[in-house]
Amino acid sequence: MIAAPRGPLSEALVAALRAAPGTPIAAPRVEAGTPLSDDDLQLALYLAYELHYRGLSGVDDRWEWDPELLTFRAELEAIFERALFEAVGPPADGVAAEEMDLALRAIAEADDAPSLSRHLEREGTIEQFREFLIHRSAYQLKEADPHSWALPRLHGRPKAAMAEIQADEYGGGRPERIHAQLFAGAMDALGVDSAYGAHLDRLPGATLATVNLMSLCGLHRRRRGAIVGHLALFEMTSSVPNRRYGDGLRRLGLGADATGFFDEHVTADAVHESIAAVDLAGGLAAQNPALAPDVLWGARALVLVEGLWATHVLDRWQRGESSLLEPSTAALPA
């Protein structure tokens, strides 16, 4: 479904998308005060990107490449990128290919955001796990797709490495093992609607930004280094949190239907870790040293947006509040 608008940007976009392609998007020129978590900006950007994935119900597919839409999206992207640059700096410092593994690990070790996985492992409630699944559904139900945009932009060793990682994400030819399907199974096990896009209306800007970063880097060839760095660090830092999520669910008495997705990632990402760091990220830096700063920037941007999201969730829970938005009474029909 299309979520209900949350401000002038998403309101203008939704109004245009419900009309014929080419309809002017009459959005005011505004800039969000906190672009990395702004509900209006991040929703508008997410909807614009979704046209490149499964599309939006009731929206003409021709909007995907409509010049009006692309111009509007570029303005949103410029705001988003400026905010990312202000937070982590632009791509600047690079490393030799053989040092890429260590450089990425240093970025991960410098992450001082609160640990959502540790909280869920030790004391998370079943309702908090349900909220967690709803947040993550924005990405996990399309898992691997944003990173796969990079495949035609790579060649040789890094392309082979990414293809190896992505093949596992897509189930190795077995549709029931596709990681997005495994995640849907976890949602079903906890009584959460697993339909694609079912919870968009409740996802705050901080959640949408984690997915928008991937779409931004994946859809732009100029950011191919960044999407490689994003995926590399994602794979390198995934096993431990996923083990904690699985253990937390077992603590609550849930079985393999709920933990299968997380248990799969403990195993798969332990294998992917070296491939991602050495063959994918290091391989790209060896081919094109000029892209090394972009690889590291993508990793830093990942740490930033994931940290902002985890902080948002844990802050709300510590106050005894839901980390999701209240259901909108103005939601548009699917």
Side-chain angles (χ1 to χ4, degrees):
M1 66 178 293
I2 301 180
R6 302 175 188 173
L9 297 173
S10 54
E11 184 174 8
L13 176 60
V14 168
L17 292 177
R18 294 180 71 81
T23 299
I25 302 176
R29 295 299 182 263
V30 299
E31 290 212 12
T34 54
L36 298 180
S37 60
D38 184 79
D39 287 335
D40 185 32
L41 184 144
Q42 293 297 336
L43 175 62
L45 194 52
Y46 189 92
L47 292 174
Y49 284 141
E50 191 59 33
L51 296 168
H52 293 292
Y53 293 103
R54 299 196 194 180
L56 298 167
S57 179
V59 174
D60 193 316
D61 284 340
R62 291 175 296 173
W63 268 111
E64 180 183 7
W65 296 108
D66 185 87
E68 185 77 21
L69 185 285
L70 296 179
T71 298
F72 176 72
R73 195 188 81 190
E75 294 173 356
L76 302 181
E77 288 175 328
I79 298 171
F80 188 31
E81 280 192 298
R82 281 198 299 272
L84 291 167
F85 291 161
E86 289 174 3
V88 300
D93 56 324
V95 297
E98 59 272 18
E99 298 174 359
M100 183 59 72
D101 185 359
L102 292 176
L104 289 171
R105 292 183 191 282
I107 292 172
E109 291 170 1
D111 181 10
D112 60 357
S115 176
L116 183 58
S117 65
R118 188 172 288 113
H119 169 84
L120 286 171
E121 176 191 27
R122 297 176 178 176
E123 56 186 295
T125 66
I126 192 70
E127 187 54 42
Q128 288 175 346
F129 262 105
R130 290 188 180 112
E131 287 196 9
F132 167 72
L133 292 176
I134 288 172
H135 281 288
R136 278 311 200 199
S137 67
Y139 167 61
Q140 300 295 173
L141 293 181
K142 60 162 63 83
E143 184 172 1
D145 292 347
H147 294 116
S148 291
W149 293 115
L151 279 168
R153 300 179 170 114
L154 303 176
H155 67 277
R157 181 184 172 199
K159 185 166 192 164
M162 177 170 276
E164 183 174 355
I165 293 170
Q166 299 300 79
D168 283 347
E169 305 290 348
Y170 293 127
R174 299 169 58 194
E176 75 278 6
R177 299 304 299 172
I178 292 175
H179 288 183
Q181 185 60 42
L182 294 177
F183 189 84
M187 298 180 75
D188 292 338
L190 270 73
V192 179
D193 188 350
S194 63
Y196 184 91
H199 305 285
L200 182 55
D201 200 47
R202 300 202 64 193
L203 299 178
T207 304
L208 299 178
T210 64
V211 189
N212 287 339
L213 173 64
M214 288 181 261
S215 297
L216 169 70
C217 295
L219 284 167
H220 290 278
R221 187 177 182 277
R222 64 188 173 87
R223 291 280 172 241
R224 64 194 183 279
I227 195 63
V228 162
H230 185 289
L231 176 59
L233 196 67
F234 207 97
E235 297 295 325
M236 293 170 67
T237 58
S238 177
S239 288
V240 171
N242 278 295
R243 176 185 57 74
R244 291 172 179 160
Y245 297 136
D247 288 348
L249 289 167
R250 279 182 280 272
R251 173 180 56 79
L252 292 169
L254 279 298
D257 51 351
T259 66
F261 169 85
F262 304 103
D263 295 339
E264 169 69 16
H265 281 71
V266 172
T267 303
D269 291 350
V271 175
H272 294 167
E273 181 177 346
S274 178
I275 299 169
V278 178
D279 298 314
L280 176 58
L284 183 62
Q287 278 183 352
N288 190 343
L291 289 178
D294 296 270
V295 173
L296 297 177
W297 183 86
R300 292 191 184 101
L302 165 65
V303 168
L304 171 69
V305 297
E306 290 289 324
L308 292 173
W309 169 70
T311 298
H312 164 84
V313 172
L314 287 171
D315 281 352
R316 297 303 188 279
W317 288 350
Q318 288 167 5
R319 296 203 297 262
E321 302 171 0
S322 171
S323 61
L324 298 168
L325 300 180
E326 288 297 319
S328 173
T329 58
L332 299 174

